[in-house]
């Protein structure tokens, strides 16, 4: 997930520089990726089921 967040940030940064009103989107995207990473850790620890993890991950990604 760390590589994905880095790639996403690298892709969005040049685009968002042209749209100052959308600059917060980049931090939202990175925040969502960080949240997915945290949820994956909870899933791996047995706190969340795979279905719960997938549901929340889908929800977070749909907001990007």
């Amino acid at each position: 997930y760390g590589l994905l967040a880095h790639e996403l940030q690298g892709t969005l940064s040049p685009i968002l520089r042209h749209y100052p009103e959308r600059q917060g989107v980049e931090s939202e995207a990175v925040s969502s990726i960080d949240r997915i990473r945290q949820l994956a850790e909870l899933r791996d620890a047995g706190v969340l089921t795979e279905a719960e993890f997938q549901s929340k991950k889908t929800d977070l990604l749909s907001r990007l």
Side-chain angles (χ1 to χ4, degrees):
Y1 290 106
L3 180 59
L4 178 60
H6 178 72
E7 290 174 358
L8 183 60
Q9 185 175 15
T11 301
L12 289 176
S13 291
I15 296 168
L16 293 175
R17 276 191 277 258
H18 297 286
Y19 302 95
E21 70 277 5
R22 299 293 294 168
Q23 287 180 356
V25 171
E26 180 179 355
S27 62
E28 288 177 34
V30 172
S31 178
S32 291
I33 298 300
D34 288 339
R35 183 71 180 130
I36 291 169
R37 183 182 303 117
Q38 293 169 346
L39 292 168
E41 290 173 4
L42 292 173
R43 178 203 56 204
D44 294 345
V47 176
L48 295 176
T49 66
E50 181 65 28
E52 291 168 326
F53 169 75
Q54 291 298 329
S55 174
K56 188 60 179 176
K57 181 176 91 171
T58 300
D59 178 54
L60 289 166
L61 292 174
S62 72
R63 297 178 193 187
L64 299 180

